[in-house]
Amino acid sequence: MDSKDIVKFGLIGYPIKHSLSPKMHNAAFRKFNLPYRYCLYPLKTDDFNNFNGFLDKENIKGLNVTIPYKEEILAYLDSKSDSVAAIGAANTIVKKDEKIRGFNTDFLGFSKHLNEIADPCRLRVALLGAGGAAKAVVYSLIKDKAGIISLFDIDVEKGKDLVRKSKKWIEDCKSDAAVNQVESVEELDILNKDLLINATPVGLKESDPLLVEKKFLHKNLIVYDLIYNPARTKLLAAAEEKGLRFSNGLGMLIYQGAESFLHFSEANLEISKVAAVMEEALTNRGAEC
Ligand code: NAP
């Protein structure tokens, strides 16, 4: 078979060379006997601007979309899932019958993983960050009936935008949640929260500071860092040192990948089965495709 004839899926974004997605998806395609291939497509802005041409050039049936195109991709969609319409970002697209449909599996990935760790109902949450990932997190928390969500982002406008969006989500979900924006980490009132989430990129680099003073990490707090590489950010190391429950974002990554896989393959499989295959694949890391 010509490589052009192989049905392909993949990831677009820039930069993406360290992505774990090929390893996860190709392992699942193999496990469930699907003759597909998942590849990395690092697209710079000029290439992305010719997105339809790119899609036609290869036999691509579906894509994950990451930074910086999760919002820009909306312009190319023929239809959106409810979560894409609500959040305003898509991380998964599927091409079928010449139509492109967009999904947001980030919010579902976070929700699935958080529910394994804690009951989100009435949870009091302190959130660092109000960017793309934070939007998916807040949408998920509101759908799961969380209580209070206090958020802080150094970009005040992004925080305002997220609070504005969340008002609509609360209305649509008939939720009792309350989302408020604060002006500093101190004002997050972490001592009166059950869950602290880091949805900023702070912690990716070893030189990054610890955003939250250790005195705020109280014994009943659960700490969730969306970052998964490194597996232990400074924040998670501090939580561990204090004996708290904590998690990195690997579970979220795996569940969003498993949900995307179900959209790609249209297979009638339980998400937990796909997630288990992907998790196993990641224990044996290495570049692929
Ligand atoms: P993003 O859109 O750039 O949003 C990050 C936000 O954090 C920005 O608004 C940024 O403000 C803000 N920020 C930066 N430093 C801050 C600080 N010191 N205090 C408060 N806010 C600060 O990025 P994203 O796509 O949301 O991703 C955020 C993190 O989540 C990344 O580390 C990413 O790898 C991770 N993530 C994980 C998963 C997963 O599956 N586990 C999925 C998605 C994302 P400025 O723009 O002004 O810097």
Side-chain angles (χ1 to χ4, degrees), residues 67 131-133 153-154 158 199-202 211 226-228 249 252-253:
I67 292 173
D153 193 299
I154 42 171
K158 276 195 198 160
T200 77
V202 181
L211 283 186
L226 264 64
I227 294 171
Y228 51 84
M252 173 179 174
L253 177 84

Side-chain angles (χ1 to χ4, degrees), residues 78-242:
D78 295 297
S79 65
K80 302 169 188 160
S81 68
D82 290 348
S83 56
V84 170
I87 297 168
N91 74 323
T92 303
I93 64 165
V94 175
K95 189 178 167 193
K96 197 175 175 189
D97 303 329
E98 295 309 307
K99 297 265 187 262
I100 304 175
R101 183 156 171 72
F103 303 90
N104 188 307
T105 71
D106 279 335
F107 103 85
L108 200 116
F110 176 76
S111 173
K112 279 256 168 214
H113 191 220
L114 179 65
N115 273 275
E116 288 180 354
I117 298 167
D119 178 1
C121 187
R122 285 197 273 280
L123 215 60
R124 298 167 305 166
V125 184
L127 173 65
L128 293 161
K135 283 196 190 101
V137 164
V138 172
Y139 183 69
S140 146
L141 287 168
I142 288 172
K143 277 185 95 68
D144 287 345
K145 312 280 181 227
I148 300 165
I149 304 164
S150 301
L151 64 91
F152 168 64
D153 193 299
I154 42 171
D155 186 330
V156 176
E157 290 310 313
K158 276 195 198 160
K160 277 189 189 160
D161 180 49
L162 181 45
V163 171
R164 194 177 43 77
K165 281 198 160 74
S166 62
K167 287 207 170 104
K168 169 104 176 60
W169 302 337
I170 288 169
E171 217 178 283
D172 292 348
C173 297
K174 297 183 178 36
S175 150
D176 294 328
V179 180
N180 71 302
Q181 180 182 12
V182 299
E183 289 175 11
S184 66
V185 173
E186 289 70 30
E187 288 176 47
L188 283 172
D189 193 19
I190 295 168
L191 291 174
N192 286 306
K193 296 294 192 307
D194 310 300
L195 174 67
L196 168 66
I197 301 170
N198 178 35
T200 77
V202 181
L204 283 172
K205 292 192 278 231
E206 212 178 321
S207 56
D208 282 343
L210 179 61
L211 283 186
V212 177
E213 284 185 64
K214 284 187 189 167
K215 67 178 182 193
F216 294 127
L217 302 180
H218 62 87
K219 68 175 176 21
N220 295 320
L221 189 70
I222 302 170
V223 181
Y224 194 105
D225 200 326
L226 264 64
I227 294 171
Y228 51 84
N229 187 16
R232 283 279 189 289
T233 57
K234 274 190 189 136
L235 178 63
L236 294 186
E240 184 174 34
E241 193 187 303
K242 286 233 172 179

